Amino acid sequence: MDSIKVFSPGSITNLSCGYDILGLCLNNQGDEIKVSKKSSQGVIIKSIQGYSLTKDIDKNVAGIAAQELLKNIDINFGFEIEINKGIRPGSGIGSSAASSAGTVFAINQLLESPFNHLDLIKFSMEGEKFVSDSYHADNVAPIILGGITLVRSLNKIDVIKLPTPKDLEVIIVRPDIEIKTSDSRKVVKKMIPIEKVVQQSANLSSFVSSLYLEDYDLMSKSVVDVIVEEDRKEMIPEFDNIKEISLKCGAIAVGISGSGPSIFSLSNDNNVSNKILDSIINHYNEQDIDSNGFISKINSNGIKILESR
Ligand code: HSE
């Protein structure tokens, strides 16, 4: 195989109760990434479409992740990368993770898979470190593994794939602003009172139970953030009103998607999901705030190969 094109989906992380450890893979939003072998060593980014981003391999997450992979294998050829970005950078649905994970996944395929999924998560995380100043795998893990994932450890990477309740879907609305992950992480408090840690631990563990039990009432009580949301929501226009509107429409839970500004709602009924989407967009329209949104099922497969030759 000399060339491969993949669809690398977006993701929602944190899911309110699992800062930096929970994530889920989206179905219908993502980047298309084509990687081809080239005779000279190293990587180049040949083109980027969709959004204006640097092609400098030391400053673009795809180049950074690809170079990390190449440090771990001895080969006498290289790769050129073409990226068609479907996810707007700074939207809170894993734009950088989609590019870095999709690129290392594609290169691994061209090399006939010398690396396993956990290796690919590790390489992709170098891109996350570059854009956010800290290592976290909550975006790249669900993109590579599919479904809903929990990152148990980063020192020696360990990720648990959790069950996906069959009717679960997500509604994402992004107000038309960009928030850099590094800025959004600066508002997260470094010290948390023990009472809040206890409550968040209870929320996280009961959320995991709710997935195994397909118990949407328990999920509703569990997808609650007592640590990060209070500070981050200040950056997101109308967050409290949107939350109220979505819950009134029947959402199971509402929270900030990743580092924002996108807001996610959970639902187990497509009619309710459409009502939530319309109501949130209408509310933003009434406030003269541009926004866009979509509904997605949980993608249990992760990155998809579109073509290879
Ligand atoms: N868990 C990360 C955060 C996701 O909330 O900052 C953003 O990449």
Side-chain angles (χ1 to χ4, degrees), residues 31 33 37 67 86 150 178 213 220 245 249-250 269 282-283:
D31 295 351
I33 299 169
K37 284 184 188 166
Q67 291 185 84
L150 185 151
E178 184 182 330
L213 297 169
S220 179
I245 288 165
C249 290
D269 175 335
N282 281 344
H283 180 76

Side-chain angles (χ1 to χ4, degrees), residues 50-300:
Y51 292 97
S52 168
L53 291 168
T54 178
K55 290 192 265 180
D56 181 339
I57 56 164
D58 295 320
K59 294 194 177 126
N60 181 297
V61 292
I64 291 167
Q67 291 185 84
E68 191 61 23
L69 181 152
L70 290 184
K71 280 184 202 157
N72 289 272
I73 193 160
D74 190 15
I75 51 170
N76 61 3
F77 55 94
F79 301 95
E80 62 179 37
I81 306 163
E82 295 163 72
I83 304 171
N84 189 357
K85 285 219 59 76
I87 311 177
R88 179 177 158 150
S91 56
I93 55 168
S95 179
S96 57
S99 291
S100 56
T103 299
V104 295
F105 178 93
I107 293 177
N108 193 43
Q109 290 290 316
L110 292 177
L111 293 171
E112 296 180 3
S113 302
F115 300 110
N116 64 29
H117 282 155
L118 296 184
D119 296 326
L120 298 182
I121 290 171
K122 190 158 157 262
F123 304 146
S124 309
M125 257 200 330
E126 289 300 325
E128 297 295 80
K129 164 79 168 67
F130 181 77
V131 288
S132 70
D133 291 333
S134 73
Y135 285 102
H136 52 93
D138 52 345
N139 282 108
V140 293
I143 295 172
I144 289 172
L145 297 174
I148 304 176
T149 55
L150 185 151
V151 180
R152 194 198 61 80
S153 161
L154 283 186
N155 290 336
K156 185 174 181 312
I157 293 183
D158 187 9
V159 179
I160 300 160
K161 190 164 174 179
L162 299 168
T164 300
K166 70 175 183 334
D167 295 326
L168 188 64
E169 52 190 39
V170 291
I171 304 94
I172 302 277
V173 177
R174 184 183 61 79
D176 195 15
I177 57 167
E178 184 182 330
I179 298 181
K180 286 202 168 85
T181 304
S182 51
D183 291 338
S184 188
R185 291 180 81 80
K186 282 184 196 138
V187 307
V188 176
K189 291 190 180 74
K190 297 286 173 282
M191 304 289 280
I192 307 290
I194 188 69
E195 296 79 11
K196 288 194 172 185
V197 175
V198 170
Q199 183 60 59
Q200 194 88 341
S201 307
N203 291 345
L204 173 60
S205 42
S206 51
F207 172 67
V208 172
S209 296
S210 77
L211 295 176
Y212 281 91
L213 297 169
E214 295 212 10
D215 181 337
Y216 294 107
D217 289 333
L218 182 59
M219 191 181 294
S220 179
K221 287 181 246 176
S222 310
V223 179
V224 175
D225 181 358
V226 297
I227 291 182
V228 178
E229 184 174 291
E230 198 175 303
D231 296 313
R232 278 188 167 173
K233 74 179 184 182
E234 302 302 331
M235 299 187 288
I236 302 172
E238 295 292 306
F239 180 80
D240 283 332
N241 288 335
I242 297 291
K243 192 170 186 171
E244 195 183 324
I245 288 165
S246 184
L247 289 171
K248 261 194 198 145
C249 290
I252 294 165
V254 185
I256 301 169
S257 176
S259 51
S262 291
I263 298 172
F264 76 89
S265 304
L266 300 179
S267 153
N268 60 350
D269 175 335
N270 193 251
N271 291 327
V272 172
S273 301
N274 279 297
K275 196 170 152 198
I276 291 170
L277 183 61
D278 291 346
S279 304
I280 297 178
I281 301 271
N282 281 344
H283 180 76
Y284 271 137
N285 279 343
E286 281 162 18
Q287 305 301 313
D288 279 331
I289 296 169
D290 285 339
S291 66
N292 56 55
F294 62 93
I295 298 167
S296 173
K297 284 281 193 195
I298 316 300
N299 171 351
S300 49

